[in-house]
Structure formats: C-alpha cells, structure tokens
Amino acid sequence: MLHHIPALLSPELLKTLAEMGHGDEIVVGDANFPAHALGQRVHRMDGISATEAAKAILHLLPLDSFVEANAHVMQVVGDATASPPIFAEFQALVDAADNPAPIARLERFAFYERARKAFAVVQTGEFRLYGNLILTKGVIGAAP
C-alpha cells in the first residue's frame, strides 16, 4: 500500500500513467465506449463512474499547460450545444486540477479519431451518456 494514491487506480494503470509523457493523452470512456476497438492499452474500471475515475487520475496526472484545451468531451450528436450534466462534473474536476482550462468539445468521429491516437483508454462502468473525457498530460516542474 502507498500513501496518497487513490485506491481506484490499479498497479497497471499507475504504470501507464507513469509511462505517459507530456502531450500524451488518456481517454476515460463510459460503459458504451468502444475502448478495445480504439485503444492500444485498455484498463477496465467496471463499476466505477467516469467522474470517479477522472478524479482519481487527475489526483496524479498534471494537465498540459501548452495547449489551448487539455481536456475534451464528445459533443452531443445532433445538438452540438447541448450540455449533459456530466459535462459540468468533468469541468469541475478539471477546474480543481493543475492547469485548469475550459473543456473543448469534439464531434463524435473526431473524438474517436483522437481516442485512437491516445496513449491509453480507461473503460469505466459509467452509464450516463456522453461520459467520455480525453485528458492531455502536462509536465511536472522542478522542485523549488
């Protein structure tokens, strides 16, 4: 056991987070997300919501400060301006993290293309629709 590491994060997922470099991306996908079809490295978090998974990941993962948007959601099909409640929950998590920024929205197939290039995908048990989030890893500066 280790201090200050969320218990939701498996040893394998911790290793993946440590192996990611700045600019690499990780997808937090809902239960309907095609994780195995799109992801090179897939970690399952069955029974865990996407917001719980994102909160645990963001406890350790610095967000990129060198990009305009360091987090992305999939826009609602047929209504690009719709904001399901989970979007606000994701934004609150990003706002509480290192380098907060507004979450950008990507059209469904653009989101899938970006996810295909991601370093890893975390498949959660999230049943709320549009519970998908892409996070871009930043850097940790030198200690003062």
Side-chain angles (χ1 to χ4, degrees), residues 32 34 39 74 89 104 126-127 142:
N32 294 300
M74 181 189 301
E89 293 177 44
E126 181 64 67
F127 286 112

Side-chain angles (χ1 to χ4, degrees), residues 11-143:
E12 294 80 12
L13 182 51
L14 289 171
K15 180 179 183 291
T16 294
L17 293 172
E19 289 173 343
M20 291 174 66
H22 60 83
D24 283 340
E25 295 185 324
I26 188 164
V27 179
V28 177
D30 64 23
N32 294 300
F33 190 77
H36 289 277
L38 298 176
Q40 300 176 48
R41 296 169 192 85
V42 177
H43 299 276
R44 297 199 56 101
M45 293 181 82
D46 299 314
I48 305 300
S49 73
T51 50
E52 290 173 304
K55 181 178 181 180
I57 290 167
L58 285 168
H59 182 74
L60 301 176
L61 185 87
L63 289 174
D64 199 337
S65 62
F66 297 112
V67 293
E68 188 174 325
N70 53 27
H72 296 80
V73 292
M74 181 189 301
Q75 72 185 28
V76 175
V77 174
D79 187 356
T81 62
S83 289
I86 198 165
F87 285 9
E89 293 177 44
F90 284 148
Q91 186 65 64
L93 293 172
V94 169
D95 288 345
D98 290 345
N99 304 311
I103 295 177
R105 297 176 187 209
L106 295 173
E107 179 274 331
R108 176 183 175 199
F109 293 105
F111 189 95
Y112 288 157
E113 275 308 304
R114 192 165 190 139
R116 190 181 315 280
K117 298 173 188 171
F119 191 86
V121 177
V122 176
Q123 176 96 57
T124 70
E126 181 64 67
F127 286 112
R128 291 178 287 177
L129 298 179
Y130 298 98
N132 304 297
L133 178 69
I134 298 175
L135 300 169
T136 306
K137 186 175 184 180
V139 298
I140 297 174

